Amino acid sequence: MTKAKAFHELHHRETPLVLPNAWDFGSAAMLVAEGFPAVGTTSLGVAAGAGLADGAGVTRDETLALAARLALLSVPVTVDIEGGFSEDPGTVADYVARLSELGIAGVNLEDGRGEAGLAVPGQQAELIAAVKDRSPEIFVNARVDTHWLQLDEDATLARADAYARAGADGIFVPGLRDPEEIAATVAAVPLPVNVLYLTTGPSVAELAALGVQRVSTGSLLYRAALAATVDIARAVRDGAPVAGGIPSYRDVQHRTP
């Protein structure tokens, strides 16, 4: 079975796919070693790691380079490509085809456009259709940013429907936290629904009961790693105890290809 097919099947189980989002090979390899059946990337982690802004469409090369490394992992990998790094359907389709050729199993394609707000639904649907026409095997997780950007939230389901009809394989609505809204979205969308795990939102078990089939961590792990980095550096500087549970040098070295 190909990684792409295995990734599709992970969205059709009795329990949701809990998808951790990595930002480099080391973080992804450690997550695989922990037993996660698939790994995603976080565009914030990729962008910040390169000293660039997230959501600005400027990490095309960095994202591709990371994808080439992550494709060496034993599990399916899905890559966050923001809005596709272009407004031209053919260009976006070509980019995703390169990812697919590397062995990447899926992509997140969002309709948020940073300070420009939201993409026109019809144009976003064209991007999705072009990607699926060129790379039918890849799992396209169509991200609807209405709740994330708090813009035109009443159009969430209409956008999801347009993207489903264009060929998307899943619908991702980050920012959804109200159980009734989540349940209504699951009921209305004919595809696997993905939500972003929020520390103040429902648990994975609660999301499963609502019918959610994929739960992503987004930038949470990356931000937590930054916090831990500063905490430990501060402890060393100030002579305070250093937290335990840190992987050894050999543990990390062992995860390299």
Side-chain angles (χ1 to χ4, degrees):
M1 182 186 299
T2 66
K3 288 181 181 177
K5 182 173 176 57
F7 190 60
H8 278 265
E9 292 190 358
L10 287 171
H11 293 78
H12 298 278
R13 305 182 302 171
E14 292 184 3
T15 57
L17 168 63
V18 176
L19 186 77
N21 297 85
W23 55 94
D24 60 10
F25 186 89
S27 58
M30 294 297 284
L31 291 165
V32 173
E34 183 60 27
F36 287 94
V39 174
T41 65
T42 163
S43 62
L44 175 65
V46 174
L52 299 169
D54 182 32
V58 295
T59 58
R60 176 188 176 93
D61 293 341
E62 289 78 7
T63 299
L64 186 64
L66 176 59
R69 293 191 291 272
L70 297 188
L72 300 173
L73 295 168
S74 61
V75 304
V77 172
T78 181
V79 174
D80 186 341
I81 61 170
E82 299 184 8
F85 306 119
S86 173
E87 293 295 328
D88 176 66
T91 301
V92 177
D94 287 346
Y95 186 78
V96 175
R98 293 181 67 186
L99 293 173
S100 183
E101 289 165 3
L102 289 171
I104 296 302
V107 294
N108 261 13
L109 184 58
E110 65 193 50
D111 65 1
R113 293 294 184 268
E115 294 182 359
L118 294 164
V120 175
Q123 293 176 349
Q124 185 70 5
E126 288 180 11
L127 296 183
I128 294 168
V131 167
K132 290 299 294 185
D133 182 65
R134 180 75 181 277
S135 305
E137 71 288 345
I138 206 158
F139 189 103
V140 174
N141 201 36
R143 178 171 145 172
V144 182
D145 275 343
T146 48
H147 285 264
W148 187 248
L149 298 178
Q150 298 182 321
L151 293 172
D152 201 17
E153 293 181 8
D154 291 341
T156 299
L157 295 181
R159 285 176 175 269
D161 179 67
Y163 305 158
R165 286 187 284 106
D169 301 287
I171 298 295
F172 181 23
V173 189
L176 269 184
R177 69 175 68 226
D178 179 74
E180 290 187 1
E181 286 189 306
I182 293 172
T185 301
V186 169
V189 173
L191 301 174
V193 171
N194 179 193
V195 300
L196 181 69
Y197 175 79
L198 301 171
T199 57
T200 57
S203 67
V204 171
E206 290 168 333
L207 292 171
L210 294 170
V212 171
Q213 288 165 290
R214 173 166 156 181
V215 182
S216 301
T217 61
S219 65
L220 175 63
L221 304 184
Y222 177 68
R223 291 181 286 111
L226 293 180
T229 297
V230 175
D231 285 347
I232 292 173
R234 185 185 298 117
V236 172
R237 181 193 65 192
D238 299 342
V242 174
I246 300 172
S248 70
Y249 177 93
R250 290 183 181 275
D251 289 335
V252 177
Q253 179 77 344
H254 180 64
R255 305 303 173 196
T256 57

